[in-house]
Amino acid sequence: MKKITIAIDGFSSSGKSTMAKALAREIGYIYIDSGAMYRAVTLYALRHGLIAPDGTVREEELVSALPDIKIEFRYVTPGEAAHTFLNGEDVERQIRGMEVSNAVSPVSAIPAVRHDLVKKQQAFGAAKGIVMDGRDIGTTVFPDAEMKVFVAASPRERARRRVEELRAKGRDVSFDEVFENVVSRDRIDRSRSESPLRKADDAVELDNTGMTIDEQNRWLLDLYNQRSQS
Ligand code: DC
């Protein structure tokens, strides 16, 4: 069967990564979490003192450090999704914490950061057979993708899912703190001038607020079966 490119965009904590990973596993495609790449750049910036406590990014310094930031995905545990590596170090856990979540939106609004990561994402997808999730995959990274999905869910539901996920990993977070982060990331992601989060005209929208994980996975697999045959 001919390999296609699958772009899954949507709001933070909308469940798009869960869906994207499950589909890639089911159909034997590569899965790339583009958000992890923005998170890895943010972790680098935090570690190098390039983000002030008020969230201001030392943009010029970060941009000139971009050639020194090497991001890779490596399989660590069989059967699990790949981990994100920053300059050879497994940073999968660190990039999911609140410190990075709170700082990532301004970093991902910097045009030179986006250009650099978009180029890397396009290289990952050059041979097709890829599922990539993010905010601008269907609009900017792979505008010609054969299958595009835009995932939404209510902000409360997304915050609830994120709290559950973080607590399952042993993180002590409050609902209010996470809700605030979800709402503020939505606002920055949608209003930035460079590749704002928006549904591509030819994307299929899914609001999964009331759906189970199984239901959304089945919905996505059905769509893939239609698209890969046409
Ligand atoms: O999907 P995520 O929540 O892990 O993404 C982290 C941040 O990175 C998110 O706030 C917006 C940004 N992002 C982006 O701007 N473009 C992408 N393709 C993916 C993520």
Side-chain angles (χ1 to χ4, degrees):
M1 204 187 283
K2 131 176 127 40
K3 294 213 169 193
I4 64 169
T5 301
I6 302 175
I8 304 193
D9 289 304
F11 292 96
S12 63
S13 304
S14 58
K16 59 188 186 317
S17 305
T18 306
M19 296 169 68
K21 264 184 229 163
L23 179 67
R25 200 178 313 119
E26 179 76 28
I27 65 177
Y29 275 27
I30 291 169
Y31 164 68
I32 298 286
D33 172 357
S34 69
M37 300 171 75
Y38 290 94
R39 286 173 179 272
V41 171
T42 304
L43 181 64
Y44 179 97
L46 285 166
R47 285 178 169 179
H48 288 78
L50 303 181
I51 303 181
D54 70 353
T56 314
V57 184
R58 286 159 70 170
E59 199 172 317
E60 244 174 67
E61 282 163 78
L62 178 58
V63 171
S64 55
L66 285 173
D68 302 329
I69 304 179
K70 188 165 182 239
I71 301 167
E72 296 158 286
F73 293 98
R74 293 191 208 158
Y75 290 94
V76 174
T77 316
E80 272 186 19
H83 285 195
T84 311
F85 281 70
L86 169 63
N87 291 337
E89 177 194 348
D90 184 347
V91 292
E92 190 57 37
R93 186 179 151 78
Q94 289 92 321
I95 62 167
R96 306 294 167 189
M98 286 308 290
E99 204 192 351
V100 169
S101 296
N102 287 331
V104 66
S105 281
V107 170
S108 60
I110 300 171
V113 169
R114 301 203 69 82
H115 293 166
D116 185 69
L117 294 187
V118 166
K119 255 197 271 149
K120 290 179 175 146
Q121 290 152 7
Q122 288 170 335
F124 280 132
K128 297 197 175 234
I130 189 166
V131 183
M132 190 174 291
D133 73 6
R135 304 290 188 290
D136 60 341
I137 311 304
T139 52
T140 304
V141 181
F142 299 126
D144 298 329
E146 291 85 351
M147 173 170 158
K148 297 182 187 177
V149 175
F150 189 84
V151 191
S154 74
R156 289 208 150 263
E157 172 62 15
R158 289 186 284 127
R160 193 194 59 73
R161 291 176 189 167
R162 186 104 188 98
V163 166
E164 211 169 77
E165 192 185 320
L166 288 165
R167 288 192 183 153
K169 288 181 184 159
R171 304 290 175 87
D172 178 26
V173 288
S174 73
F175 178 85
D176 289 351
E177 173 190 18
V178 173
F179 181 71
E180 192 117 313
N181 177 257
V182 162
V183 172
S184 105
R185 281 206 285 154
D186 282 0
R187 187 176 37 77
I188 304 178
D189 293 350
R190 292 164 95 165
S191 60
R192 66 175 174 233
S193 56
E194 185 81 19
S195 300
L197 169 65
R198 67 168 184 85
K199 176 183 158 309
D201 296 336
D202 51 351
V204 182
E205 183 161 355
L206 174 72
D207 185 324
N208 63 11
T209 304
M211 284 170 99
T212 64
I213 289 177
D214 272 356
E215 284 168 345
Q216 66 184 26
N217 288 350
R218 219 169 313 124
W219 180 92
L220 194 63
L221 185 60
D222 285 348
L223 185 66
Y224 164 76
N225 285 331
Q226 289 166 26
R227 290 301 165 90
S228 60
Q229 275 155 23
S230 57

